[in-house]
Amino acid sequence: MTRAFGAFPELRHPFEVMPIHAAGQATVLYQGKKVTFTETGKGEGLLIKPSDLHSVNGFELKPEGVCCNDICIPLREGLLIEQGGKQWFDLVAFADLLGQPYVVDQASRVWSFAEVPAKRANMMVNAMAPDFEVKDRQGKVIRMADLKGKKALIVTWSSW
Amino acid sequence: MPVWQRVYEELNDPNFVLICVAEDTGGEAVAGPIFDAAKPTYVQVVDEDHLISSVFNFVNVPSSAWIDEEGRIVRIDEGTYSKTHQFGEGDQAFLFGNDVYTPALKDWVKNGAASSHVQSAQIVARNIREHGINEMKADAAFRLGNLFRAHGEKAKAESYWAMARTLNPESINFFRQNLTLTEEGSGGETFRKLRVEYMEQGKDYYRPLDIKAS
């Protein structure tokens, strides 16, 4: 039988079942990155070690708040949680604070976070291209910042 | 993709970067050979999670953004065809694309801000589609579906892809991407039906191209 245009049914589910992470761990998806936490706190949110925050979204805890580049968000109640003598950062509470949508699969303990809305706000006002980061086919990281000083055409296409 | 390689070679300008991004959950297996056949020298990205469509709020392919030296978008979200193409044959055939986009692009690369094809920040901002909470959540759901697919969890993959489609029904990307993983493919009856529905509702399958033939 001739294959229909743009038909790759064999690619629908070509993979063997394999766990996303070991039992008790948690995984976060954010802007193409996949970060697995070997250690998390207990509770409804996603409690990670404060030192792990940077690996997810570039933010880090500083005396003045939760900061990324020149943005600092003052610490609020519910972001830092003490449990058994350890301090945890609630990534879900932080997303709620930023108005950052997410979808969670609780059974698998995977959180998929959308972009932080504030990072896109400029585009809608002054047409400045938002920062982004993707890898080319050779594995080289392409960032918006790398394109400065040149004209760029970014064009999407697909096999379909 | 060979058509973009030709345009890139014709432009031959070291201060112009062409980034072609394949929005393909099938990944290298489907997009790689098409890229390779074009013998491309431009930047090639296989974007399984449709990150770039999400960055610029695109809902269909091919779509594009022109970005100037300062990082400002000067045109966005148009059906980005480098020439006129025909899809299908006989009664089912229809033409798509145009022959005015490439000359406009070349004019911009040559003349920069002085090009008549450069749009103001106000017009560009108006042309960027709204990407609210539901659409953003749809992106997150789509990526979650892709992760479960990569880990062989069929039921969860299907369920999150369906969630993405429900949360962002305007995304032709999500709709047709899903069709690629069926026997019918992305250009079959389901696609044709959607296209007709779109037009009957007066919606743009692509936003009309605001470039006049010179």
Side-chain angles (χ1 to χ4, degrees), chain B residues 104-181:
Chain B
L105 176 73
K106 286 179 176 175
D107 183 69
W108 171 60
V109 172
K110 188 176 166 203
N111 298 311
S115 167
S116 62
H117 302 295
V118 166
Q119 296 178 330
S120 68
Q122 196 184 10
I123 290 176
V124 170
R126 194 189 65 203
N127 284 344
I128 301 171
R129 289 170 198 265
E130 287 293 325
H131 205 68
I133 298 295
N134 278 345
E135 290 82 4
M136 293 177 82
K137 209 168 170 177
D139 295 339
F142 179 70
R143 292 166 198 162
L144 195 52
N146 289 351
L147 178 76
F148 282 120
R149 167 182 176 266
H151 287 266
E153 293 203 39
K154 297 181 189 182
K156 285 193 176 184
E158 298 291 342
S159 129
Y160 289 111
W161 285 338
M163 183 191 283
R165 174 78 187 134
T166 306
L167 286 165
N168 188 359
E170 296 296 304
S171 172
I172 293 159
N173 282 338
F174 290 157
F175 185 78
R176 289 193 75 198
Q177 176 71 87
N178 200 9
L179 286 175
T180 64
L181 304 176

Side-chain angles (χ1 to χ4, degrees), chain A residues 5-6 8 11-13 15 18 105 108 112 115 127-129 137 149 151-157 159-160, chain B residues 15 17 19 21 23-24 28 36 44 62-65 67 69 71 73 136 140 149 151 156 158 160 178 180-181:
Chain A
F5 173 80
F8 302 94
L11 294 178
R12 191 163 194 93
H13 293 295
F15 302 108
M18 57 177 171
D105 189 280
S108 300
S112 178
E115 183 52 292
M128 292 306 289
R137 288 177 73 210
K151 294 187 187 80
L153 170 67
I154 300 176
V155 53
T156 62
W157 68 281
S159 62
W160 37 273
Chain B
N15 289 316
V17 182
I19 303 177
V21 184
E23 302 296 67
D24 259 304
E28 267 293 320
D36 289 340
Q44 311 134 54
S63 297
S64 71
I67 301 171
E69 293 88 338
I73 304 167
M136 293 177 82
R149 167 182 176 266
H151 287 266
K156 285 193 176 184
E158 298 291 342
Y160 289 111
N178 200 9
T180 64
L181 304 176

Side-chain angles (χ1 to χ4, degrees), chain B residues 192-210:
Chain B
R192 284 195 288 271
K193 200 164 153 256
L194 172 94
R195 198 167 176 276
V196 168
E197 277 173 16
Y198 247 70
M199 294 185 168
E200 282 176 355
Q201 289 169 25
K203 291 200 281 191
D204 300 329
Y205 188 67
Y206 292 115
R207 181 172 282 125
L209 191 63
D210 185 20

Side-chain angles (χ1 to χ4, degrees), chain B residues 51-62:
Chain B
L51 293 169
I52 290 297
S53 286
S54 168
V55 167
F56 297 106
N57 304 354
F58 296 153
V59 296
N60 201 354
V61 292

